[in-house]
Amino acid sequence: MEICAQSFILYYKSRLFDLMEDKLEKRIANWITIIADCLDVTHAVYYKPQQDNNNRNCFEHSFSKQPFDFPKCISTNTLQAIFIESDYVGHDILSMHPQLSIFNSAFHLKYNEIEKGYLFLHANEDKLSEFVSPNVNSFIYESGKTIQIIEKQSDILNEEGRYKELFRVTEKFHSSMDVDIVLNEIIKALKKVFPYFTYNLLLSNDSKHDKTLPIKEFQLDHIDGAVMDSYVSGEIRIEKICTENHTILYAPLCGKQGVYGVLEVATSASFVFQNSEVEFIRLLANTGGSAFENAKLYEQSQTLIRDLQLINDTSHRLNSSTSLDETVQFLKSQIKKSFNTDDIGFVLLKDTEFTILNGSNSVFLSEVGKKCVEFIAENIRVKKEALLYSNIQNQLADETIPFSSLMVVPMIESDSLKGFCIVSHSIPYYFTFDMFKLFQSLIHHSTLAITNSMLREELERMVITDQLTQLFAKGFLNDEIKQSMEKDEEGTFILLDIDNFKKVNDTFGHQTGDEILVQVANIIQQNIRSSDIGARWGGEELAIYLPGASLKTGSQVAHRLVEAVYKNTKPKITVSCGVSYWNKKRSSGKPF
C-alpha cells in the first residue's frame, strides 16, 4: 500500500484499531507486528516496567519480534542516560551502548505523561526518516495510548479474575467447617492472584494447625506497630520496612464476634499497592475471617459436645466404681486419653501433710517430683483454685524438673479441700486454655466419686478393724481362715494372751491397759508378713493367722513374739502363745 508521511499516522492508527479484535494476551505481539509491517522492522523489543517484587529499578522485555541476542532487562539509569534529551533516539546514540547497537531507533513511550515503557527497533532507515521522524510525537502518543488501552483492559480482566477467585473461595468457605481448609483457601487464592507476593498468617497459639500453612505465632504482649494497630482497629495497615527492603500489608481476619488474627502480605519496598489490590485483599480477609469464625464456632461446638460426653461418661462410670484404686485408674485413663499425657498424679491433703495416691505416675514419687508437689500443695492450700503453669521451671529454677507445663485442679467437696489432681507435660505451653477448662470440669465432676470411694473404703476398713489396736476384727479373721483352708495347702494359727492383764489394769489403770494392747498389736504388725493377718480375738487375746505357713514357721513366729513383747513393752509384760496348725491331711497344735 502506498502511503505518505501525512497519512502514515492515520494508517498506523487504523491498524491499531484492529488490535481490539485480537485476544488480549496477543495484542502486544500483534502491535509489534504492525510496527514491523509499517517500517520494515527486522528486530524489535518492547521493555515494560518490572512487574515482580525483586527489582523495580529495571525494565524487562515484554516481547521481541524474533529470537536474537539482546539484553533481557535494562536498568532505569541506562534508559535515562539514553533518553536524556529526547523521547526518540537514533543509531548514533544507541551505538554508544554496545549491548543496544543492533538497534537503529528507540522510543520512550508515554501517554498523558504516564510512562508506558520503551520500544527498540531495527527498522528501514528510509521509512524511519520518511514516516516517523516528521511524526515522532504522534507515533509515541498513539503507541503509548495503545499500551494504555491494553493495560486497562488487562486490569479489567485481572480484576474480573480476582473477583471470580473471590467468589470461588467464598463458595468453598461456605461448604467447609474446617479451620485449616479455610486458611489454606486464603493462601491459595492470594498465590493465584498475586504470585510474586509472600504471605503469613499471624494467629494465636490456642489451636494446632496444619504445619504446611505459613503461620506465625501471634502473641499480643510481643506485637506492636502496624500489625497491632491492624489487629486492634480491624482495618488494613501498610508499612515500609526500609532495613529489610519490604512493604508489608496487614489485613485483619475479622468475624462478627472479633478479630481472629492478621494476614501479612509482603512485597518489595518500592512496590505501591493499588486501591483495587488493597480492596481485594480486604474482601478476602473479611470473607476468610467470617469463615474462620464459623469454622471455629463449629469446632468449639463439636469440642463442647465431646467434652460433655466425656464428663457424662466419666461421672456415670465413676459413680458405679466400688474401690478407690478402680476410681483412680479409670479417671487416669480418661485424663490420658483427653490430654495426651502420661504424667498424672492424685494428691490427698490433710493438715500440713500430703499423700500421693497409688496409681499416680512415678515422676511425682521421685525426690524432685515430691518437691514440686509440695510447692503446689502450698499454693493450693492458700488459693484453693485451679492453677495453670506454662513453664513450672520458672517457679522452681533451682530444681531440674522433668516437666514444664502443668495443670492443677483442687478436689473440693462440701467446701472442704480434699486434695488435688495434677497433670504435667515436658513441652512448655503445651496445655491450652480450653484444655485447662475441660480439666477443671472433669475433676470437679469426679471429686464426689473419689470422696465417696475414700469414705467407702474407710467404712469397710472400720468394719473389719478393731478400733483400739487397728488390727483386724475377729469376724474378718474367721472369714480369711475359711478362705485359706479352701485354697491353701496348710496354715498356722497363733493365739496370744497377755499374762496377768487384770493385774496390769488394777495396778496401772485401764488407760495403761489399753496402751499395752496397742503396744503388743504394733509388735505383732512388725513381726509378721504383709500376707499374714493380725487380729484382736477378744479382751486381752490377740491372734495371728499365717496362710501357707508350716507348724515350724508358726512356732518360730510365736517364740519371736514372746521375746519381742518382753523386750519392747512399757510397763514390761509377758505373753503366752498357743499355736495351731492344719494341712490337707491333718491338723495339730501346741502351747508356748
Side-chain angles (χ1 to χ4, degrees):
M1 175 181 177
E2 294 290 334
I3 59 175
C4 62
Q6 290 81 1
S7 61
F8 171 74
I9 293 301
L10 291 176
Y11 174 71
Y12 179 53
K13 288 173 65 175
S14 67
R15 293 287 301 273
L16 293 179
F17 184 78
D18 293 337
L19 285 177
M20 299 305 107
E21 296 180 358
D22 297 332
K23 291 184 178 179
L24 186 62
E25 63 271 15
K26 293 184 177 181
R27 289 180 185 177
I28 293 293
N30 291 344
W31 165 61
I32 296 291
T33 301
I34 291 171
I35 294 174
D37 289 345
C38 292
L39 302 174
D40 290 343
V41 172
T42 58
H43 300 86
V45 179
Y46 167 62
Y47 292 92
K48 66 176 181 179
Q50 184 82 320
Q51 294 300 306
D52 63 23
N53 298 321
N54 298 321
N55 186 1
R56 296 289 286 193
N57 297 315
C58 174
F59 282 72
E60 185 184 62
H61 90 283
S62 175
F63 178 81
S64 58
K65 185 175 183 297
Q66 60 187 37
F68 64 99
D69 189 18
F70 66 93
K72 300 300 185 289
C73 184
I74 303 178
S75 70
T76 301
N77 292 337
T78 299
L79 291 168
Q80 288 175 348
I82 293 173
F83 294 94
I84 191 170
E85 294 182 355
S86 173
D87 290 331
Y88 170 56
V89 297
H91 186 263
D92 54 338
I93 299 294
L94 297 174
S95 62
M96 296 165 47
H97 301 271
Q99 58 180 344
L100 301 172
S101 60
I102 191 173
F103 303 111
N104 61 1
S105 60
F107 305 86
H108 183 189
L109 304 182
K110 299 177 181 178
Y111 178 71
N112 292 340
E113 298 304 316
I114 299 174
E115 188 171 59
K116 293 300 171 184
Y118 295 86
L119 177 65
F120 286 78
L121 304 175
H122 186 278
N124 183 291
E125 292 280 0
D126 293 336
K127 290 191 175 184
L128 285 173
S129 299
E130 181 181 357
F131 299 142
V132 176
S133 295
N135 304 289
V136 66
N137 291 333
S138 296
F139 179 78
I140 290 174
Y141 176 82
E142 295 300 334
S143 297
K145 182 179 179 181
T146 299
I147 298 299
Q148 171 75 1
I149 293 172
I150 292 173
E151 288 179 349
K152 283 292 184 182
Q153 291 179 337
S154 179
D155 289 342
I156 291 172
L157 287 178
N158 286 338
E159 189 163 354
E160 180 184 349
R162 286 198 291 265
Y163 283 95
K164 283 183 178 179
E165 182 64 17
L166 184 61
F167 181 75
R168 183 199 68 79
V169 170
T170 303
E171 284 189 320
K172 188 73 173 181
F173 287 162
H174 287 303
S175 66
S176 174
M177 283 297 176
D178 186 292
V179 170
D180 282 349
I181 290 178
V182 171
L183 296 177
N184 267 305
E185 285 298 323
I186 292 174
I187 298 300
K188 181 180 176 181
L190 287 169
K191 287 183 176 180
K192 185 174 182 179
V193 175
F194 305 115
Y196 298 113
F197 296 171
T198 57
Y199 315 96
N200 284 298
L201 293 162
L202 307 179
L203 304 175
S204 63
N205 65 344
D206 63 341
S207 299
K208 304 296 187 298
H209 294 288
D210 183 354
K211 293 182 179 180
T212 62
L213 285 167
I215 293 176
K216 288 183 179 179
E217 187 174 324
F218 186 75
Q219 294 182 338
L220 295 178
D221 54 348
H222 291 90
I223 298 293
D224 54 16
V227 61
M228 177 57 76
D229 189 20
S230 175
Y231 181 83
V232 173
S233 67
E235 300 291 339
I236 284 181
R237 294 292 183 264
I238 299 175
E239 70 172 348
K240 290 187 182 293
I241 305 177
C242 297
T243 56
E244 300 179 11
N245 195 32
H246 281 163
T247 293
I248 302 179
L249 181 148
Y250 298 106
L253 298 172
C254 298
K256 292 182 179 180
Q257 298 184 6
V259 180
Y260 296 90
V262 176
L263 171 63
E264 177 187 87
V265 182
T267 180
S268 66
S270 59
F271 184 86
V272 178
F273 283 98
Q274 301 300 311
N275 290 337
S276 60
E277 295 169 335
V278 174
E279 180 63 11
F280 173 78
I281 294 173
R282 185 187 70 81
L283 290 173
L284 179 63
N286 284 348
T287 307
S290 297
F292 183 88
E293 179 178 74
N294 291 336
K296 288 282 287 184
L297 291 174
Y298 177 77
E299 284 188 358
Q300 289 171 4
S301 67
Q302 294 300 304
T303 299
L304 182 59
I305 291 172
R306 289 195 299 270
D307 292 349
L308 291 173
Q309 186 66 46
L310 171 69
I311 292 170
N312 182 63
D313 292 345
T314 302
S315 299
H316 184 269
R317 173 68 182 274
L318 289 178
N319 288 332
S320 64
S321 298
T322 57
S323 69
L324 181 59
D325 284 346
E326 183 181 343
T327 299
V328 168
Q329 287 299 329
F330 176 73
L331 184 56
K332 182 179 175 182
S333 68
Q334 293 293 85
I335 293 172
K336 180 179 179 180
K337 180 173 63 176
S338 301
F339 304 105
N340 193 30
T341 178
D342 290 326
D343 298 335
I344 306 166
F346 299 89
V347 182
L348 297 183
L349 298 176
K350 187 174 183 180
D351 300 327
T352 59
E353 302 296 323
F354 67 82
T355 303
I356 300 175
L357 287 180
N358 292 334
S360 300
N361 289 97
S362 59
V363 67
F364 300 112
L365 300 174
S366 65
E367 184 177 350
V368 67
K370 288 181 178 179
K371 288 183 179 179
C372 183
V373 170
E374 184 177 6
F375 169 78
I376 293 169
E378 292 175 0
N379 284 279
I380 285 289
R381 287 191 180 97
V382 173
K383 299 179 179 180
K384 292 185 179 180
E385 60 184 27
L387 304 172
L388 174 62
Y389 294 97
S390 298
N391 193 347
I392 188 66
Q393 296 180 7
N394 294 334
Q395 277 72 30
L396 299 172
D398 296 335
E399 302 291 340
T400 304
I401 302 174
F403 42 79
S404 296
S405 299
L406 213 63
M407 294 192 296
V408 185
V409 175
M411 294 186 289
I412 298 176
E413 181 62 30
S414 301
D415 295 327
S416 176
L417 180 62
K418 304 296 183 181
F420 57 87
C421 182
I422 178 173
V423 175
S424 67
H425 201 281
S426 59
I427 300 175
Y429 299 94
Y430 177 79
F431 300 116
T432 65
F433 187 66
D434 287 339
M435 295 168 73
F436 183 48
K437 290 190 295 183
L438 173 60
F439 186 49
Q440 291 182 69
S441 297
L442 191 60
I443 298 305
H444 289 165
H445 284 82
S446 304
T447 297
L448 180 61
I450 294 174
T451 304
N452 287 342
S453 294
M454 292 169 59
L455 290 174
R456 188 183 299 111
E457 290 200 352
E458 179 65 18
L459 181 61
E460 290 175 351
R461 190 189 67 80
M462 292 175 64
V463 169
I464 63 173
T465 303
D466 177 66
Q467 184 77 14
L468 176 63
T469 63
Q470 294 301 302
L471 295 174
F472 287 109
K474 182 178 180 180
F476 179 78
L477 176 64
N478 289 336
D479 292 339
E480 290 296 310
I481 292 175
K482 288 180 180 179
Q483 292 180 25
S484 173
M485 295 184 76
E486 292 176 358
K487 65 181 180 179
D488 296 325
E489 294 297 321
E490 59 183 351
T492 299
F493 176 82
I494 303 173
L495 186 62
L496 183 149
D497 182 66
I498 299 175
D499 298 331
N500 302 313
F501 186 68
K502 184 177 182 304
K503 184 177 179 181
V504 172
N505 283 332
D506 293 341
T507 304
F508 299 102
H510 288 279
Q511 183 175 350
T512 300
D514 289 345
E515 291 175 358
I516 287 293
L517 282 171
V518 171
Q519 291 179 42
V520 174
N522 290 337
I523 292 170
I524 288 174
Q525 293 283 39
Q526 295 165 7
N527 284 272
I528 61 176
R529 303 168 300 179
S530 60
S531 59
D532 298 334
I533 302 165
R536 187 173 183 183
W537 190 256
E540 70 274 19
E541 293 178 329
L542 306 176
I544 305 104
Y545 179 67
L546 312 174
S550 64
L551 178 60
K552 181 179 179 182
T553 300
S555 299
Q556 290 173 344
V557 172
H559 280 295
R560 188 166 65 243
L561 287 172
V562 169
E563 294 176 2
V565 168
Y566 181 74
K567 292 179 180 178
N568 297 293
T569 51
K570 186 177 180 181
K572 195 175 295 298
I573 62 163
T574 60
V575 295
S576 300
C577 290
V579 179
S580 178
Y581 167 77
W582 71 271
N583 62 30
K584 292 293 185 180
K585 297 180 180 180
R586 57 180 292 275
S587 62
S588 64
K590 61 178 180 177
F592 290 87

